[in-house]
Amino acid sequence: MLDHVTELLHLIARWIHLIAGIMWIGNSMLFNWIDRNLEKPKDPKPGNIGNIWMVHSGGFYEMEKKFLEPSQLPKTLHWFKWQNGITWLSGISLLILIYYLGASQMMIDPEVSAISSQTAVLLSVASFVGAWILYNAIWRSPIGKASTLATLLSLGVVIGTAAVYFTFLSGRAAYIHVGVLIGTLMTGNVWFVILPSQRELIAATKEGREQDPAIGYQAKQRSVHNNYFTFPLLFIMISGHFPSTFSHPKNWLILAILGGGSAAIRYFMNVRFTEPRWLWPAFGTFGITAGVVLIMLSDRDFLSSSAKRTTPVAFTEVAEIMHNRCTPCHSTTPTDATYKIAPNGIMFDTPDQIVRMAPKIKERAVTLKNMPLANVTQMTVEERETLRAWIDQGAKGPAADAPAAQGSAVEGH
Ligand code: HEC
């Protein structure tokens, strides 16, 4: 019952997260695009910053960006803040539901570090608060005016925090934490810098004075940051579906390349109208990114320390391993404390099921090593190597075992 409630909450939070996220990033990209494409009319009206004409859904739209006189301030002004607020809140709900409540399986990987679930959750919360405080302090301090230094320091904060994640958390949790970190910095920028600047703009307009330029300048800086954060963040959001990224032994490098590469592509999209000379460097970046990723993804056979097994593997050996390490979850009658029904409907109760699933077993238990989940059943490196050898030798069923070995096959368990 509780399982179903959690799953329903999870579904609702994820659905809301997706809808709000599309609205937030969609708005933000549209406004960025409009800003870059504004044209100065021939005889601009006072206060005019630029105009743009668009055609969409059965009509023409003319939009003017401008400064207002106090008397011109309209009664209704549309803000765009809850798209961001709801994206962040639903994202944090997902983090709690999936990662904090399932910390022992989702956040911990004994091969990465032996911290407790509580420590992992504390570390997670502290990292978001701490990173925001540092990042915000950098840009509010005098260093914030020397953009290059401040940018390098901010990258330092993000990379340093990510290094903590990769040192202590499972690969998958580390990825999503970098995502939540970036999303939190973006949300902090919206609520603590950009919205106050808009309030100041309105107050200044009402009082008929110039807006404090420092406040407007800071808001512009943060909005540029958010612009660059979007592509890496969107990659991280979908990365959970791609174990070859987060389970790779160099998962941090893949994230760094994809994060850096996608921010560079964002840069190309920003400047392509005004500075075509960036076209080729940007294509270059994209090529390098794609190339390196392909190489890394093709290097998937990364069995670590154990010696290669060359002797024949009997099916009984395999059945024994699967019975000890996998059927606690993947069975018609699971014994695991969390999984009461076989995950993804995958079961390894009969020889037939095991033989049929051999390619998937290789993928998850040998290549990616993300099964058993969080290695709760403590599978050894030698056992993984035995599975690999069995599959490479043709993944034969019990019929191929030497007569002496038969009889003790999987039915006995
Ligand atoms: C603690 C419970 C648990 C144990 C033990 C476990 N798994 Fe899983 N397994 C899961 C869960 C949960 C999923 C679904 C989530 C996912 O795909 O990562 C899953 C998914 C899978 C999938 C993906 C199926 C698909 O739809 O693509 C395979 C293959 C798999 N497990 C194989 C194994 C093997 C082989 C072992 C033993 C070496 C094992 N699992 C042990 C919990 C477990």
Side-chain angles (χ1 to χ4, degrees), residues 386-405:
T386 304
L387 290 183
R388 184 205 58 78
W390 171 68
I391 293 161
D392 286 355
Q393 290 164 14
K396 298 201 184 67
D401 280 8

Side-chain angles (χ1 to χ4, degrees), residues 280-295:
W280 294 109
F283 267 124
T285 321
F286 182 71
I288 295 166
T289 309
V292 176
V293 168
L294 277 181
I295 294 166

Side-chain angles (χ1 to χ4, degrees), residues 86-102:
I86 292 172
T87 306
W88 187 78
L89 288 172
S90 53
I92 295 296
S93 312
L94 284 170
L95 182 72
I96 295 171
L97 276 171
I98 303 173
Y99 287 89
Y100 290 3
L101 295 182

Side-chain angles (χ1 to χ4, degrees), residues 121-329:
V121 173
L122 273 178
L123 185 104
S124 162
V125 175
S127 72
F128 302 135
V129 180
W132 163 256
I133 291 175
L134 274 176
Y135 162 81
N136 190 41
I138 292 171
W139 289 94
R140 287 210 192 268
S141 76
I143 304 172
K145 293 203 181 62
S147 293
T148 315
L149 180 60
T151 305
L152 288 176
L153 286 174
S154 308
L155 276 176
V157 171
V158 173
I159 293 171
T161 316
V164 173
Y165 298 146
F166 281 100
T167 312
F168 292 105
L169 304 180
S170 73
R172 188 167 165 184
Y175 264 55
I176 211 69
H177 271 75
V178 177
V180 178
L181 171 70
I182 294 177
T184 301
L185 298 184
M186 292 171 82
T187 304
N189 285 340
V190 170
W191 290 83
F192 296 123
V193 184
I194 297 171
L195 289 176
S197 152
Q198 283 168 199
R199 280 191 209 102
E200 154 64 15
L201 175 65
I202 293 172
T205 306
K206 268 191 193 139
E207 293 159 25
R209 61 174 167 83
E210 292 272 307
Q211 186 196 8
D212 178 349
I215 297 181
Y217 178 68
Q218 290 207 349
K220 184 67 207 163
Q221 280 180 330
R222 304 298 181 99
S223 140
V224 170
H225 299 175
N226 282 9
N227 182 281
Y228 284 110
F229 280 147
T230 40
F231 279 17
L233 177 62
L234 289 172
F235 159 66
I236 295 170
M237 284 171 68
I238 57 171
S239 69
H241 297 284
F242 302 99
S244 354
T245 57
F246 63 78
S247 285
H248 197 281
K250 296 208 181 63
N251 51 11
W252 57 272
L253 187 57
I254 295 185
L255 181 57
I257 291 172
L258 284 171
S262 58
I265 291 164
R266 182 72 255 201
Y267 178 71
F268 162 64
M269 292 174 71
N270 288 342
V271 300
R272 80 196 135 134
F273 298 109
T274 45
E275 300 196 43
R277 65 200 157 98
W278 282 103
L279 198 124
W280 294 109
F283 267 124
T285 321
F286 182 71
I288 295 166
T289 309
V292 176
V293 168
L294 277 181
I295 294 166
M296 304 206 64
L297 297 190
S298 63
D299 164 37
R300 283 164 58 127
D301 214 321
F302 34 77
L303 259 180
S304 51
S305 48
S306 93
K308 289 261 183 228
R309 169 155 176 181
T310 48
T311 52
V313 180
F315 181 76
T316 41
E317 275 185 74
V318 173
E320 176 90 30
I321 295 174
M322 298 298 291
H323 178 76
N324 292 336
R325 311 301 187 199
C326 312
T327 51
C329 296

Side-chain angles (χ1 to χ4, degrees), residues 325-326 329-330 336 339 343-344 346 360 364 371-372 376 379:
R325 311 301 187 199
C326 312
C329 296
H330 293 285
D336 186 78
Y339 295 95
N344 290 20
I346 307 278
K360 286 235 164 194
R364 305 293 294 255
M371 281 294 141
V376 286
M379 187 171 205

